Amino acid sequence: MIGAAMIGTATKFDTNLLASIYQFLQCETPDQWVDKARRPESLPILLRDHLLCELKAAQSAMFLIRKYAVEPESAGTLVDKLIIGAYIEARSCERFAKLAPHLDEDLGKFYISLLRSEARHYQDYLALAQSISKEDITTRVNYFGQVEAELIQTPDYDFKFHSGIPII
């Protein structure tokens, strides 16, 4: 677990932001991913990939609003997509926190600002999923958590922000 992280002497983040994320995620990011991610040549890859993830999230939100406002009978499908979105948001925050202490002060501050802005998004996804579902979503949340944890801990040839253990 991450304690009170500092970058230089100027940047701190409230570890309470991460406490619920660590309870939600079923594993931490492997050290091998962090080792590769902190390399200078990896940072542009991660920032571009995160940008693309944010664009996809916005596009998905627009699609979901259009589709499920018109077809409410598809709400089982929507619940799963929201749960998956929750895992994506939580993992993003966890990885920003893992990387920030290894970066120069300016980039570290930027990653901490991203962490702070996204820290509670996963809870919003879960709350929306539960409000739509006619039944308790805990079983689905646990299922997708197991899948996500397995993917995070699996060797992966394609190094990205949400990839598994890098194969070097």
Side-chain angles (χ1 to χ4, degrees):
M1 294 258 184
I2 295 174
M6 293 183 68
I7 300 162
T9 56
T11 305
K12 296 180 187 179
F13 65 88
D14 180 3
T15 56
N16 291 327
L17 289 175
L18 292 173
S20 64
I21 289 172
Y22 281 115
Q23 288 178 329
F24 177 66
L25 294 173
Q26 295 189 18
C27 73
E28 286 190 40
T29 291
D31 290 339
Q32 299 97 316
W33 187 92
V34 176
D35 291 342
K36 175 144 181 144
R38 62 190 270 193
R39 295 178 187 168
E41 66 272 13
S42 295
L43 296 176
I45 294 168
L46 295 178
L47 285 173
R48 279 192 302 271
D49 188 53
H50 187 70
L51 168 69
L52 291 173
C53 289
E54 290 294 323
L55 288 172
K56 288 178 193 175
Q59 291 169 339
S60 293
M62 295 303 293
F63 170 77
L64 293 173
I65 290 169
R66 266 194 328 265
K67 180 171 175 65
Y68 296 104
V70 176
E71 302 172 25
E73 67 277 357
S74 300
T77 304
L78 177 57
V79 169
D80 286 352
K81 288 181 181 190
L82 291 168
I83 293 168
I84 292 166
Y87 277 102
I88 292 168
E89 292 293 331
R91 183 62 64 191
S92 293
C93 290
E94 188 253 2
R95 288 196 165 177
F96 285 136
K98 288 257 184 188
L99 282 174
H102 302 287
L103 305 174
D104 68 56
E105 191 166 350
D106 288 337
L107 191 54
K109 285 180 185 179
F110 176 64
Y111 273 43
I112 296 299
S113 73
L114 292 174
L115 184 157
R116 286 183 184 133
S117 69
E118 296 191 2
R120 291 193 175 86
H121 288 176
Y122 86 95
Q123 294 170 335
D124 295 335
Y125 276 90
L126 293 176
L128 183 57
Q130 187 58 71
S131 73
I132 291 167
S133 180
K134 294 178 181 163
E135 48 194 60
D136 183 58
I137 64 170
T138 303
T139 301
R140 296 301 289 165
V141 170
N142 290 334
Y143 168 75
F144 285 113
Q146 291 170 359
V147 171
E148 193 267 352
E150 183 179 320
L151 291 170
I152 292 301
Q153 297 176 55
T154 299
D156 199 333
Y157 285 101
D158 190 20
F159 180 70
K160 299 284 190 217
F161 198 79
H162 291 278
S163 61
I165 297 171
I167 296 175
I168 302 173

